[in-house]
Amino acid sequence: MLLGYSLTPFGHDPDAWTKPRDRRRLGFDALLDQVAAAEAAGFDFVLLADRLSIRPADDLSSVAVPFEPTLLASALATRADGIGIIAAASAAQHEPYNLARRFASLDLVSKGRSGWLVLLDDGDAARGNEYVDVVTALWDSFEDDAFLYDKVEGRFFDPSKMHVAHHKGAHFSVRGPLNVNRSSQGRPVLTHLLEEGDEALAARTGELLLLQAGKVEGLVAIAARAIRSIEAAGRRRSDVRLVANVVPVVAGSPQAAGYKVTAPTLAGVRTIGTPEMIADRLHELATAADLDGFTILPPTLETGERFLADVVPELGRRGLIGGKRQVTLRDRLGLARPVHPAISGKEVSR
Amino acid sequence: MSERHMKLGAFLMAGGHHIAAWRHPDAHAPAGSDIDHFIHLARVAERGKFDMIFIEDAAAIRERNPDLASQAARSTAFEPLSLLAAIAVNTSHVGLVATASTSYTEPYGLARSFAALDQLSGGRAGWNLVTSASELEAENFAASGLRPHSQRYERAEEFADAALALWDSVEEDAYFPDGGETFADRSKLHAVHRHGKHFSVDGILESQRSPQGRPIMVQAGASDVGKDLAARTANVVFAASQTKAEAQAYYADVKSRLGKYGRSHDDLKVMPGISPIVGATEEEAKAKYRALQELIPDAVGVALLASYLSIRDLSAYPLDGPLPDMPPTNLIQSRQQLIVDLGKREVLSIRELARHFAGARGHWQVAGTPAQIADAMEDRFLDGAADGFNVMAPLFPSGLEDFVTLVVPELQRRGLFREEYEGRTLRANLGVSPPAKS
């Protein structure tokens, strides 16, 4: 079972900042403490969500990370070296060349542990499709073994293994190549958030799909539809990881689990109960919806801590998590390393 | 009055500023994509009490010809903001200045990114504002297109004002009011509404206010509009000057423009580049320099020279002959003039100019003992040519380590450079005025 941790300064409950009031939680050190705890508990990734590309903003949200997510990801990557880091970034806020560069750099800083949570403009699927294709093509500017570092011959890379995209489409015109080295996991992991609506782009390009639904029936339906779309796109179920958002509320006893959760920014299925009950529930959900794992959206930091302290060991006792720690995010998720198009025989440009 | 100290920046670049640095036997060839290498360099600069480290940028590969590109370590690099965010949380005092162009970005996203760097570093961020002049960059953003020089600066002016307004949209303690009912204290948030020729910006920056008020503004403007923009908005200006007379003229020119914007002489620090090659003896320093020069492939050096001259190709002209006459350029005009002047003054061939520029790309080079290098810096610092220097070590890490170990103590002994940091923010260490209260 894969485990992700959705990072916020206070928790996903909009009132969490009042319980307790602690200004330090807005700072990098406190955020790093949360990530380090998730890392120590064996989580596979931390998710730095952003407001869903809504601009203009009229304040800082207490339920989103308080720094621009891609830069926070870069900072965290140097201080927590055993966990994947997925940052949200919006196609509406960055030119594709700039976004491709930001994430390619993050993938170098993190030594192959990064992922991009793709945020798109609503209602412009064609632009979104083209945007993701441009970014992917830029990430393929160099083959895995392009860099020679041959001091004697004075050859830094093999020019036959550099590929210039020369993209000309309806929305973007981008020459390339990207001026960043290819990372140790090939490319950042393409991550999409799926709720209602069009999942064609996620099914075609996504490697990690984050499923968001408030109710179990909705979650099962979204997962089934995603799997159908993945297969309709000519891919296999095993090419993609499906991970559902859950809001855990851990209680010492079933009666004590009356905690009220109001409208979290990222909705998820609420799982309330003792550690044993939550472990049961996650196992049932994974089986019912054919899921690979869960992203935890703790309503408060204290509930997150209880999940790490009590539920994670329970999952371990059941053999649902554990095993060898992999370095790259791709390896941790059990995703194949992307084969460069020049090797797989797809047409590429020079 | 306290004695005047020079300001020092460490201009970091993969294996070194010399174009062939990566081929040197001591070089770590993959340095440009190794985050641990850069964290080490930043810590060396911090040990040397440098005001700042500085990262250049281009949003494209720098050479169109794949064969030439594949011989240059500068063909790939970290994106500067990602790199400095990583360094921010592994250092404590040194300033972090990233280059970012106004040509192919938007004010909101850029202001937000620098605000994040400022928060992550506790107030040590700086933005080197540039405009993009290369065709290769334009082709990566072809919907935007390459603009003529004047329009690039018009956009830059409007961009800078929008970024400053966004940084001022949040007062100190705007969030988490003590005892307050809401997370945000709305009386301390001031929405920006700017609708100019190039941008529409509405809203509040999603960030807390900078620990230093605002990030430090840096520029390298050498054209007339560039110098005016620097005089109006910048705290630091970098410059490329070969001779002391050029440096003095530039210094006087930029400082003379401050008055009309209501700013004082000390509010803008002029920091020309210096490429120091440090040796125990003068002969050892010169031998170090020669060893690097011999590693430059002629084709790479000449292509680099052509790019600084903003022309496509020099390969049709004899290597040992003089530069041809230059066509007028829409690109970076000041750098072209500097090269043409140097070629005429010292009667240099294309090959000699190429090798000369490959070493420090038009900046001032000094090879000598620590005392000789300190003498040269002291002379320009005390004689109206510089408030400090942007140090461009030809080879990393050894060039910077040598400078910190040998030259910095010499400058300190002479009372020319700080023994300890004055504060924790870049603004405090530079000693420039805080932004006026908005």
Side-chain angles (χ1 to χ4, degrees):
Chain A
M1 183 184 286
L2 301 173
L3 286 178
Y5 184 95
S6 180
L7 186 67
T8 58
F10 308 104
H12 284 265
D13 180 341
D15 289 332
W17 69 275
T18 62
K19 358 172 166 152
R21 286 171 179 259
D22 186 354
R23 186 191 290 268
R24 284 171 305 183
R25 288 185 174 185
L26 282 172
F28 174 78
D29 290 344
L31 294 168
L32 176 62
D33 286 346
Q34 288 190 62
V35 174
E39 178 184 37
F43 273 57
D44 298 291
F45 64 89
V46 58
L47 176 68
L48 313 185
D50 201 1
R51 289 187 164 179
L52 304 181
S53 70
I54 298 164
R55 294 291 183 280
D58 65 355
D59 60 16
L60 188 68
S61 167
S62 71
V63 292
V65 290
F67 303 93
E68 192 285 320
T70 62
L71 296 184
L72 175 59
S74 191
L76 287 169
T78 66
R79 301 283 298 276
D81 62 7
I83 188 166
I85 302 179
I86 299 172
S90 163
Q93 299 287 314
H94 305 265
E95 290 274 352
Y97 195 89
N98 294 337
L99 182 133
R101 228 155 59 96
R102 184 67 67 83
F103 275 92
S105 291
L106 172 59
D107 221 23
L108 292 178
V109 169
S110 65
K111 298 175 178 151
R113 291 181 293 124
S114 80
W116 170 33
L117 174 57
V118 180
L119 303 181
L120 299 173
D121 307 336
D122 284 339
D124 197 345
R127 183 181 186 274
N129 268 285
E130 190 182 334
Y131 191 102
V132 172
D133 288 345
V134 173
V135 169
T136 306
L138 289 170
W139 284 341
D140 283 338
S141 292
F142 294 96
E143 293 178 39
D144 288 328
D145 57 352
F147 287 84
L148 303 171
Y149 307 120
D150 184 341
K151 290 183 180 181
V152 175
E153 296 296 321
R155 194 62 69 177
F156 198 67
F157 61 81
D158 176 349
S160 74
K161 294 186 176 180
M162 178 180 85
H163 301 280
V164 183
H166 291 299
H167 174 89
K168 284 196 198 309
H171 300 87
F172 304 104
S173 180
V174 180
R175 180 185 185 269
L178 200 66
N179 55 353
V180 185
N181 286 39
R182 192 170 176 85
S183 84
S184 57
Q185 66 169 349
R187 301 193 291 251
V189 173
L190 273 179
T191 307
H192 291 267
L193 182 68
L194 277 195
E195 33 184 350
E196 300 303 318
D198 185 11
E199 71 271 341
L201 174 60
R204 184 171 69 80
T205 65
E207 300 174 289
L208 173 63
L209 303 188
L210 305 178
L211 309 182
Q212 172 175 310
K215 295 215 157 51
V216 175
E217 308 78 63
L219 177 61
V220 171
I222 289 174
R225 218 176 53 232
I227 292 167
R228 279 198 304 276
S229 300
I230 289 161
E231 288 167 351
R235 305 171 75 205
R236 292 168 303 182
R237 165 71 184 84
S238 58
D239 293 338
V240 179
R241 297 292 168 268
L242 299 182
V243 172
N245 288 351
V246 293
V247 180
V249 183
V250 190
S253 68
Q255 293 72 32
Y259 186 85
K260 184 165 163 286
V261 180
T262 50
T265 310
L266 282 174
V269 172
R270 235 187 299 169
T271 58
I272 302 175
T274 63
E276 294 76 14
M277 291 162 68
I278 291 178
D280 287 344
R281 186 82 173 127
L282 294 181
H283 188 50
E284 287 163 19
L285 272 175
T287 307
D290 190 10
L291 302 175
D292 299 298
F294 297 93
T295 304
I296 306 306
L297 283 60
T300 66
L301 299 196
E302 289 64 32
T303 56
E305 286 163 12
R306 292 210 58 179
F307 187 92
L308 300 186
D310 300 334
V311 181
V312 170
E314 183 61 29
L315 295 171
R317 274 191 288 278
R318 298 176 185 204
L320 293 170
I321 56 169
K324 190 172 174 295
R325 289 265 183 104
Q326 302 289 338
V327 176
T328 69
L329 177 56
R330 217 164 260 294
D331 287 344
R332 289 193 76 127
L333 299 177
L335 290 167
R337 186 191 171 84
V339 178
H340 193 282
I343 305 299
S344 66
K346 268 168 68 180
E347 192 180 327
V348 294
S349 50
R350 287 273 156 84
Chain B
M1 183 186 151
S2 64
E3 57 198 343
R4 175 171 169 254
H5 281 163
M6 64 174 67
K7 306 299 170 191
L8 290 181
F11 185 169
L12 305 186
M13 180 183 291
H17 280 272
H18 195 281
I19 188 148
W22 73 274
R23 297 183 66 191
H24 194 278
D26 295 346
H28 171 47
S33 53
D34 181 350
I35 185 61
D36 299 321
H37 168 78
F38 277 95
I39 290 173
H40 171 72
L41 295 183
R43 288 175 171 163
V44 171
E46 192 162 83
R47 197 173 76 223
K49 313 294 179 202
F50 273 63
D51 291 81
M52 64 183 95
I53 60 171
F54 169 63
I55 309 291
E56 65 159 8
D57 192 39
I61 199 160
R62 292 168 190 271
E63 169 57 56
R64 189 177 296 275
N65 177 325
D67 181 60
L68 293 174
S70 74
Q71 298 178 62
R74 277 175 99 209
S75 290
T76 58
F78 283 104
E79 184 276 320
L81 281 156
S82 329
L83 174 61
L84 291 181
I87 291 173
V89 296
N90 289 280
T91 50
S92 59
H93 286 78
V94 73
L96 310 166
V97 179
T99 300
S101 168
T102 57
S103 296
Y104 307 115
T105 55
E106 295 286 327
Y108 190 93
L110 199 83
R112 188 180 181 213
S113 288
F114 276 97
L117 181 61
D118 224 1
Q119 294 291 330
L120 288 166
S121 63
R124 293 183 282 130
W127 171 26
N128 178 39
L129 182 159
V130 299
T131 66
S132 297
S134 85
E135 290 177 10
L136 282 165
E137 286 175 299
E139 288 171 36
N140 286 332
F141 306 88
S144 313
L146 181 61
R147 299 174 180 88
H149 189 269
S150 61
Q151 277 184 35
R152 284 205 312 274
Y153 269 88
E154 184 185 88
R155 182 182 163 99
E157 296 265 358
E158 194 181 319
F159 197 119
D161 290 337
L164 293 168
L166 283 163
W167 289 328
D168 281 344
S169 68
V170 187
E171 290 185 44
E172 270 179 61
D173 301 327
Y175 294 98
F176 232 99
D178 290 325
E181 294 286 309
T182 56
F183 179 60
D185 178 350
R186 304 222 71 91
S187 72
K188 294 183 174 172
L189 297 175
H190 310 283
V192 173
H193 298 289
R194 301 180 79 91
H195 303 274
K197 185 166 165 191
H198 298 274
F199 311 106
S200 257
V201 181
D202 285 281
I204 285 162
L205 193 67
E206 281 168 281
S207 174
Q208 297 184 81
R209 187 167 178 82
S210 158
Q212 57 178 342
R214 287 178 199 153
I216 289 294
M217 297 286 279
V218 181
Q219 267 169 61
S223 68
D224 215 41
V225 281
K227 281 184 276 201
D228 265 332
L229 181 59
R232 184 167 73 82
T233 62
N235 306 109
V236 172
V237 63
F238 293 148
S241 307
Q242 290 277 336
T243 65
K244 182 175 165 186
E246 281 166 12
Q248 285 171 321
Y250 181 85
Y251 186 94
D253 181 357
V254 171
K255 295 273 185 179
S256 74
R257 294 170 194 248
L258 289 166
K260 69 178 156 182
Y261 300 109
R263 305 179 71 207
S264 74
H265 185 269
D266 291 333
D267 284 339
L268 178 64
K269 305 297 181 192
V270 179
M271 298 175 62
I274 176 173
S275 176
I277 297 133
V278 190
T281 62
E282 189 176 343
E283 189 38 48
E284 185 190 304
K286 297 211 157 128
K288 276 188 186 179
Y289 183 61
R290 278 195 303 274
L292 278 166
Q293 291 294 88
E294 280 161 16
L295 294 173
I296 305 171
D298 281 329
V300 172
V302 170
L304 185 73
L305 182 66
S307 79
Y308 282 119
L309 289 165
S310 304
I311 60 175
R312 270 281 168 92
D313 199 0
L314 274 173
S315 58
Y317 302 94
L319 269 176
D320 293 311
L323 272 185
D325 289 336
M326 290 294 126
T329 174
N330 169 35
L331 304 167
I332 300 176
Q333 298 158 356
S334 46
R335 184 73 61 107
Q336 184 190 82
Q337 197 56 47
L338 191 144
I339 296 169
V340 170
D341 290 350
L342 179 76
K344 288 194 176 139
R345 191 173 62 241
E346 301 195 9
V347 198
L348 298 176
S349 68
I350 289 178
R351 189 200 313 266
E352 287 165 331
L353 268 173
R355 290 206 166 176
H356 185 86
F357 272 85
R361 305 192 313 283
H363 289 271
W364 180 38
Q365 298 178 69
V366 187
T369 63
Q372 286 173 320
I373 291 171
D375 285 346
M377 293 171 75
E378 179 172 7
D379 176 46
R380 292 199 184 189
F381 175 65
L382 294 180
D383 211 9
D387 295 313
F389 300 92
N390 203 17
V391 177
M392 304 165 64
L395 187 64
F396 288 118
S398 62
L400 185 63
E401 288 167 345
D402 288 350
F403 189 91
V404 164
T405 309
L406 301 169
V407 181
V408 166
E410 181 64 30
L411 295 170
Q412 288 168 330
R413 262 193 298 280
R414 300 179 185 196
L416 295 170
F417 188 59
R418 68 167 64 84
E419 305 267 351
E420 289 301 333
Y421 282 108
E422 291 83 6
R424 292 294 288 265
T425 68
L426 176 54
R427 190 174 292 278
N429 288 317
L430 285 173
V432 293
S433 304
K437 288 282 176 206
S438 59

